[in-house]
Amino acid sequence: MRLLFDCTELSYYDENNGHRAGVFYVALNLFNELKRRGIDITFYCDFRRYYFMKNISEFKDIRLITSNSHINRLIARILYKAKDFPYIIKTALTILFRIYDAHFYRKNKKSIAEIEEFDLYFSPFTPPSKDIQEAEIPRFRMLHDIIPVLEMGMAKNAKAWYYKVYNTINDRDFYFANSECTRLDVLKYFPFVNAENIKTTLLGVNENFKPCKSDEKKKYVFSLCTLGKRKNIIFAIKNFITFIEKNNIDDLYLVLGGSNWKVFEAELDRTLKQYDKSKIILTGYVKDEELPKLYSDALMFIYPSLYEGFGLPVLEAMKCGCPVITSNTSSLPEVIGNAGIKIDPKSDEELINAYEKFYYDNFYRELCAERGIIRAREFTWEKCCEEMLSFIKEKLNQPIK
């Protein structure tokens, strides 16, 4: 089987920023698992990220293709050379070439012919390019959530960042949903999708996530997310302060890890001004190798998101033996099972009670930590990949070699 793997998300491999988040790790782990099985893989990349991907040494042994258009290659070179330019210039170029891609991009016959040499196209996130859409090739694609559709409605303008993500969903392609919640949401909001063409494949968790407690003396509650409104972090902060003030606790901190969203920073600043900021620590982006320790040393992990397609941080915390408080909504119950405390993400009382339960009940906290480790064993990339390949074999009606 000759697999054309959309590696656009992997092009952020060398960048320590918010792009190295959930979908990046899904792409990386699925690639590693497919490669381990000896699948014949060729990378395909969005032309705007082509030279970023081409210059990542870890992937040098994998053939890489993109659009054969001369103007697309020129744009790709400009964007790569501009990587060290001031932020405002990079942003202007990104917007300019996004408009070009939406309105002036022309399909390339040579690229389409090259794509059609493969048995299938698979994307762990990135929507298919116009060349991919035009090519006669079975397309398989992961859908992680429909959050933008729920929050803003279906994109009508091609300038919207999520326009291509959802406007390219159709009744011909095949899809993997990362949770049953996501699968049902896709079928609800995209009723033209054939239910037999979408399969739930729960994600895995990296082996580097494991209990690794250190001599850390500071007691803290940990949360990891992009600091956006949907993550409900204001709710977590407000009730953490209420909890420690109510119980006269002076030795506990709330550590918030993750990249700030520019539009959210002002609201976060206003919130922190109302409380004792000495008890709140903002780490910013956390490097991969530092995460297991942060999870393992935490007294508990809090993830009160209003909606998640899956919720990888919950699974990572469980794998590290950190007891978890999370929401009883969307996909999160599928991940946590009975291994932690599930709350209404809009109930102050439920969250405060959960903080108190884990803080004062050592036995229950340790019980949930052990349950989390056991449950996390059910989520592996090997299992996820096996289910994907089985679905592909079924739909292509051919053996996987």
Side-chain angles (χ1 to χ4, degrees):
M1 178 180 69
R2 298 190 64 203
L3 170 65
L4 190 60
F5 186 108
D6 196 312
C7 65
T8 303
E9 292 305 310
L10 296 181
S11 71
Y12 297 99
Y13 189 91
D14 289 334
E15 301 176 29
N16 288 326
N17 54 41
H19 284 290
R20 281 181 64 110
V23 292
F24 168 84
Y25 289 106
V26 171
L28 181 61
N29 283 287
L30 286 176
F31 163 70
N32 287 333
E33 189 63 34
L34 289 166
K35 184 180 179 183
R36 186 182 68 81
R37 291 164 181 263
I39 302 294
D40 183 0
I41 300 172
T42 295
F43 279 151
Y44 180 88
C45 189
D46 182 298
F47 71 93
R48 290 166 294 183
R49 297 292 303 176
Y50 176 74
Y51 287 103
F52 291 88
M53 187 68 192
K54 190 176 178 62
N55 287 283
I56 299 173
S57 59
E58 283 77 4
F59 303 122
K60 287 288 188 182
D61 61 329
I62 306 295
R63 180 189 173 202
L64 172 65
I65 66 173
T66 190
S67 169
N68 280 291
S69 162
H70 294 303
I71 188 170
N72 288 355
R73 292 294 180 96
L74 175 61
I75 290 171
R77 285 186 181 279
I78 293 171
L79 286 170
Y80 183 71
K81 289 183 179 298
K83 67 182 186 300
D84 298 321
F85 286 8
Y87 175 79
I88 190 169
I89 296 177
K90 289 191 294 184
T91 301
L93 287 172
T94 299
I95 294 171
L96 176 64
F97 294 138
R98 187 179 294 164
I99 293 171
Y100 160 78
D101 185 39
H103 298 288
F104 303 104
Y105 180 96
R106 294 293 177 265
K107 289 170 282 196
N108 185 282
K109 290 183 179 180
K110 186 177 179 181
S111 294
I112 293 169
E114 188 175 31
I115 290 164
E116 289 177 343
E117 294 176 2
F118 295 89
D119 294 315
L120 74 150
Y121 162 84
F122 168 72
S123 173
F125 173 71
T126 309
S129 69
K130 291 178 182 177
D131 291 344
I132 293 287
Q133 293 177 62
E134 185 70 18
E136 292 293 328
I137 183 173
R139 292 180 291 266
F140 292 80
R141 180 171 148 205
M142 291 202 75
L143 298 174
H144 297 274
D145 57 62
I146 61 163
I147 292 166
V149 175
L150 295 174
E151 292 180 343
M152 298 174 281
M154 190 63 69
K156 300 292 193 295
N157 191 326
K159 294 179 182 178
W161 72 265
Y162 65 103
Y163 178 88
K164 286 206 300 183
V165 176
Y166 300 102
N167 286 59
T168 51
I169 294 176
N170 58 64
D171 61 355
R172 303 179 305 281
D173 293 347
F174 303 102
Y175 303 97
F176 298 106
N178 61 356
S179 67
E180 185 63 12
C181 171
T182 296
R183 189 184 76 86
L184 293 174
D185 279 347
V186 170
L187 292 174
K188 177 180 178 180
Y189 288 90
F190 302 87
F192 51 82
V193 172
N194 187 333
E196 294 183 356
N197 285 0
I198 180 169
K199 179 176 177 58
T200 298
T201 49
L202 298 174
L203 305 182
V205 60
N206 289 5
E207 289 304 313
N208 60 306
F209 289 101
K210 55 189 174 184
C212 52
K213 287 186 178 294
S214 68
D215 296 327
E216 175 65 51
K217 302 299 182 185
K218 184 178 291 185
K219 289 199 296 186
Y220 63 91
V221 175
F222 183 46
S223 186
L224 178 72
C225 63
T226 51
L227 302 182
K229 189 162 279 189
R230 172 177 55 86
K231 298 298 185 178
N232 207 21
I233 205 67
I234 297 296
F235 170 76
I237 295 171
K238 179 182 69 173
N239 286 295
F240 172 79
I241 298 297
T242 301
F243 154 65
I244 61 175
E245 289 181 348
K246 171 187 173 184
N247 294 281
N248 296 314
I249 296 170
D250 192 46
D251 63 345
L252 188 64
Y253 297 83
L254 177 61
V255 176
L256 303 177
S259 303
N260 289 15
W261 286 10
K262 293 292 183 182
V263 295
F264 187 69
E265 286 180 352
E267 183 179 355
L268 186 61
D269 287 342
R270 285 196 300 272
T271 299
L272 296 182
K273 286 177 183 177
Q274 299 174 31
Y275 301 105
D276 179 3
K277 288 196 289 187
S278 66
K279 299 299 180 184
I280 301 169
I281 301 171
L282 297 173
T283 68
Y285 177 80
V286 182
K287 293 183 179 179
D288 305 349
E289 59 271 19
E290 297 172 356
L291 272 176
K293 178 184 177 299
L294 274 170
Y295 283 127
S296 298
D297 286 338
L299 194 68
M300 64 189 89
F301 180 71
I302 172 70
Y303 200 79
S305 178
L306 297 172
Y307 181 99
E308 289 293 319
F310 183 81
L312 266 176
V314 169
L315 183 55
E316 292 168 353
M318 290 161 57
K319 188 88 168 5
C320 291
C322 181
V324 175
I325 301 170
T326 193
S327 304
N328 60 6
T329 60
S330 61
S331 65
L332 292 165
E334 294 181 57
V335 179
I336 196 171
N338 70 342
I341 299 177
K342 297 185 287 287
I343 62 162
D344 177 348
K346 296 182 180 179
S347 171
D348 296 338
E349 180 181 6
E350 287 189 25
L351 179 53
I352 292 170
N353 288 342
Y355 279 137
E356 291 177 338
K357 181 68 174 176
F358 274 159
Y359 186 80
Y360 290 109
D361 192 334
N362 293 340
F363 174 79
Y364 187 69
R365 189 173 68 246
E366 291 301 319
L367 175 64
C368 286
E370 287 300 317
R371 284 177 176 174
I373 292 172
I374 293 170
R375 181 163 178 80
R377 293 173 187 154
E378 300 176 23
F379 299 82
T380 68
W381 290 113
E382 181 179 10
K383 180 180 178 182
C384 179
C385 187
E386 185 65 41
E387 291 178 351
M388 285 184 168
L389 288 174
S390 178
F391 183 70
I392 289 171
K393 177 181 177 181
E394 173 193 334
K395 295 307 176 183
L396 295 186
N397 194 28
Q398 69 177 61
I400 304 300
K401 295 180 180 180

